mmCIF file of all heavy atoms in Angstrom:
data_model
loop_
_atom_site.group_PDB
_atom_site.id
_atom_site.type_symbol
_atom_site.label_atom_id
_atom_site.label_comp_id
_atom_site.label_asym_id
_atom_site.label_seq_id
_atom_site.Cartn_x
_atom_site.Cartn_y
_atom_site.Cartn_z
ATOM 1 N N ALA R 63 -35.210 -12.401 20.031
ATOM 2 C CA ALA R 63 -35.026 -13.218 21.238
ATOM 3 C C ALA R 63 -33.540 -13.700 21.409
ATOM 4 O O ALA R 63 -32.830 -13.820 20.359
ATOM 5 C CB ALA R 63 -35.847 -14.449 21.109
ATOM 6 N N THR R 64 -33.029 -13.808 22.611
ATOM 7 C CA THR R 64 -31.656 -14.035 22.808
ATOM 8 C C THR R 64 -31.435 -15.294 23.573
ATOM 9 O O THR R 64 -32.385 -15.819 24.323
ATOM 10 C CB THR R 64 -30.974 -12.943 23.566
ATOM 11 O OG1 THR R 64 -31.651 -12.767 24.814
ATOM 12 C CG2 THR R 64 -30.977 -11.687 22.668
ATOM 13 N N HIS R 65 -30.180 -15.840 23.514
ATOM 14 C CA HIS R 65 -29.837 -16.982 24.476
ATOM 15 C C HIS R 65 -28.632 -16.501 25.199
ATOM 16 O O HIS R 65 -27.939 -15.537 24.732
ATOM 17 C CB HIS R 65 -29.419 -18.215 23.656
ATOM 18 C CG HIS R 65 -30.549 -18.559 22.696
ATOM 19 N ND1 HIS R 65 -31.589 -19.341 23.032
ATOM 20 C CD2 HIS R 65 -30.663 -18.381 21.393
ATOM 21 C CE1 HIS R 65 -32.409 -19.480 22.027
ATOM 22 N NE2 HIS R 65 -31.820 -18.944 20.942
ATOM 23 N N THR R 66 -28.300 -17.268 26.242
ATOM 24 C CA THR R 66 -26.950 -16.941 26.945
ATOM 25 C C THR R 66 -25.799 -16.975 25.905
ATOM 26 O O THR R 66 -25.666 -17.862 25.218
ATOM 27 C CB THR R 66 -26.763 -17.989 28.047
ATOM 28 O OG1 THR R 66 -27.910 -17.977 28.905
ATOM 29 C CG2 THR R 66 -25.477 -17.738 28.801
ATOM 30 N N SER R 67 -25.097 -15.803 25.918
ATOM 31 C CA SER R 67 -23.943 -15.735 25.016
ATOM 32 C C SER R 67 -22.771 -16.505 25.585
ATOM 33 O O SER R 67 -22.477 -16.455 26.722
ATOM 34 C CB SER R 67 -23.548 -14.312 24.773
ATOM 35 O OG SER R 67 -24.674 -13.567 24.330
ATOM 36 N N GLN R 68 -22.076 -17.156 24.691
ATOM 37 C CA GLN R 68 -20.860 -17.880 25.053
ATOM 38 C C GLN R 68 -19.638 -17.355 24.383
ATOM 39 O O GLN R 68 -18.424 -17.727 24.770
ATOM 40 C CB GLN R 68 -21.000 -19.449 24.770
ATOM 41 C CG GLN R 68 -22.159 -19.998 25.653
ATOM 42 C CD GLN R 68 -22.114 -21.558 25.548
ATOM 43 O OE1 GLN R 68 -21.109 -22.198 25.594
ATOM 44 N NE2 GLN R 68 -23.284 -22.084 25.624
ATOM 45 N N VAL R 69 -19.870 -16.595 23.347
ATOM 46 C CA VAL R 69 -18.693 -16.011 22.609
ATOM 47 C C VAL R 69 -19.023 -14.503 22.385
ATOM 48 O O VAL R 69 -20.194 -14.072 22.478
ATOM 49 C CB VAL R 69 -18.561 -16.671 21.254
ATOM 50 C CG1 VAL R 69 -18.062 -18.077 21.432
ATOM 51 C CG2 VAL R 69 -19.710 -16.669 20.346
ATOM 52 N N SER R 70 -17.960 -13.831 22.010
ATOM 53 C CA SER R 70 -18.081 -12.379 21.660
ATOM 54 C C SER R 70 -18.650 -12.330 20.260
ATOM 55 O O SER R 70 -18.425 -13.261 19.430
ATOM 56 C CB SER R 70 -16.771 -11.632 21.885
ATOM 57 O OG SER R 70 -16.427 -11.653 23.166
ATOM 58 N N HIS R 71 -19.296 -11.264 19.948
ATOM 59 C CA HIS R 71 -19.833 -11.056 18.606
ATOM 60 C C HIS R 71 -19.857 -9.583 18.252
ATOM 61 O O HIS R 71 -20.280 -8.729 19.122
ATOM 62 C CB HIS R 71 -21.316 -11.562 18.638
ATOM 63 C CG HIS R 71 -22.014 -11.286 17.372
ATOM 64 N ND1 HIS R 71 -21.737 -11.850 16.195
ATOM 65 C CD2 HIS R 71 -23.239 -10.505 17.137
ATOM 66 C CE1 HIS R 71 -22.594 -11.501 15.258
ATOM 67 N NE2 HIS R 71 -23.411 -10.643 15.843
ATOM 68 N N SER R 72 -19.353 -9.235 17.168
ATOM 69 C CA SER R 72 -19.270 -7.781 16.884
ATOM 70 C C SER R 72 -20.045 -7.441 15.595
ATOM 71 O O SER R 72 -20.048 -8.203 14.601
ATOM 72 C CB SER R 72 -17.890 -7.195 16.857
ATOM 73 O OG SER R 72 -17.242 -7.498 15.750
ATOM 74 N N ILE R 73 -20.646 -6.321 15.489
ATOM 75 C CA ILE R 73 -21.356 -5.832 14.353
ATOM 76 C C ILE R 73 -20.897 -4.470 13.929
ATOM 77 O O ILE R 73 -20.296 -3.707 14.820
ATOM 78 C CB ILE R 73 -22.919 -5.864 14.497
ATOM 79 C CG1 ILE R 73 -23.310 -4.876 15.623
ATOM 80 C CG2 ILE R 73 -23.473 -7.163 14.704
ATOM 81 C CD1 ILE R 73 -24.840 -4.602 15.664
ATOM 82 N N GLU R 74 -21.020 -4.071 12.660
ATOM 83 C CA GLU R 74 -20.619 -2.764 12.243
ATOM 84 C C GLU R 74 -21.870 -1.815 12.274
ATOM 85 O O GLU R 74 -22.876 -2.280 11.691
ATOM 86 C CB GLU R 74 -19.970 -2.908 10.876
ATOM 87 C CG GLU R 74 -19.156 -1.705 10.585
ATOM 88 C CD GLU R 74 -18.578 -1.910 9.092
ATOM 89 O OE1 GLU R 74 -17.684 -2.797 8.969
ATOM 90 O OE2 GLU R 74 -18.948 -1.234 8.301
ATOM 91 N N LEU R 75 -21.765 -0.743 12.828
ATOM 92 C CA LEU R 75 -22.950 0.216 12.845
ATOM 93 C C LEU R 75 -22.414 1.596 12.321
ATOM 94 O O LEU R 75 -21.235 1.799 12.325
ATOM 95 C CB LEU R 75 -23.494 0.363 14.269
ATOM 96 C CG LEU R 75 -24.185 -0.843 14.740
ATOM 97 C CD1 LEU R 75 -24.424 -0.688 16.278
ATOM 98 C CD2 LEU R 75 -25.477 -1.139 14.058
ATOM 99 N N ASN R 76 -23.399 2.392 11.947
ATOM 100 C CA ASN R 76 -23.139 3.838 11.603
ATOM 101 C C ASN R 76 -23.911 4.696 12.552
ATOM 102 O O ASN R 76 -25.096 4.615 12.731
ATOM 103 C CB ASN R 76 -23.611 4.074 10.140
ATOM 104 C CG ASN R 76 -22.690 3.418 9.146
ATOM 105 O OD1 ASN R 76 -21.474 3.616 9.206
ATOM 106 N ND2 ASN R 76 -23.289 2.611 8.260
ATOM 107 N N ALA R 77 -23.249 5.751 13.062
ATOM 108 C CA ALA R 77 -23.877 6.672 13.762
ATOM 109 C C ALA R 77 -23.943 7.982 12.982
ATOM 110 O O ALA R 77 -22.943 8.411 12.543
ATOM 111 C CB ALA R 77 -23.179 6.955 15.138
ATOM 112 N N SER R 78 -25.137 8.440 12.761
ATOM 113 C CA SER R 78 -25.259 9.632 11.950
ATOM 114 C C SER R 78 -24.829 10.865 12.776
ATOM 115 O O SER R 78 -25.129 10.935 13.939
ATOM 116 C CB SER R 78 -26.741 9.825 11.544
ATOM 117 O OG SER R 78 -26.859 11.063 10.895
ATOM 118 N N THR R 79 -24.101 11.718 12.116
ATOM 119 C CA THR R 79 -23.636 12.917 12.882
ATOM 120 C C THR R 79 -24.150 14.255 12.540
ATOM 121 O O THR R 79 -24.147 15.238 13.267
ATOM 122 C CB THR R 79 -22.099 13.008 12.831
ATOM 123 O OG1 THR R 79 -21.732 12.920 11.359
ATOM 124 C CG2 THR R 79 -21.284 11.967 13.551
ATOM 125 N N ASP R 80 -24.873 14.305 11.389
ATOM 126 C CA ASP R 80 -25.409 15.607 11.018
ATOM 127 C C ASP R 80 -26.776 15.622 10.595
ATOM 128 O O ASP R 80 -27.274 16.630 10.163
ATOM 129 C CB ASP R 80 -24.527 16.244 9.969
ATOM 130 C CG ASP R 80 -24.641 15.471 8.621
ATOM 131 O OD1 ASP R 80 -25.307 14.469 8.515
ATOM 132 O OD2 ASP R 80 -23.942 15.888 7.646
ATOM 133 N N SER R 81 -27.558 14.617 10.738
ATOM 134 C CA SER R 81 -28.941 14.630 10.371
ATOM 135 C C SER R 81 -29.807 14.973 11.585
ATOM 136 O O SER R 81 -29.284 14.964 12.743
ATOM 137 C CB SER R 81 -29.423 13.390 9.732
ATOM 138 O OG SER R 81 -29.715 12.321 10.778
ATOM 139 N N VAL R 82 -31.066 15.255 11.318
ATOM 140 C CA VAL R 82 -31.974 15.545 12.508
ATOM 141 C C VAL R 82 -32.218 14.396 13.371
ATOM 142 O O VAL R 82 -32.607 14.552 14.543
ATOM 143 C CB VAL R 82 -33.344 16.113 11.928
ATOM 144 C CG1 VAL R 82 -33.061 17.602 11.476
ATOM 145 C CG2 VAL R 82 -33.956 15.251 10.936
ATOM 146 N N THR R 83 -31.929 13.220 12.848
ATOM 147 C CA THR R 83 -32.203 11.996 13.602
ATOM 148 C C THR R 83 -30.983 11.504 14.386
ATOM 149 O O THR R 83 -30.978 10.480 14.946
ATOM 150 C CB THR R 83 -32.610 10.901 12.753
ATOM 151 O OG1 THR R 83 -31.594 10.570 11.775
ATOM 152 C CG2 THR R 83 -33.957 11.143 12.048
#
Side-chain angles (χ1 to χ4, degrees):
T64 58
H65 307 281
T66 302
S67 304
Q68 295 189 38
V69 294
S70 296
H71 173 64
S72 75
I73 59 167
E74 199 180 291
L75 290 170
N76 287 307
S78 173
T79 48
D80 67 359
S81 82
V82 287
T83 60

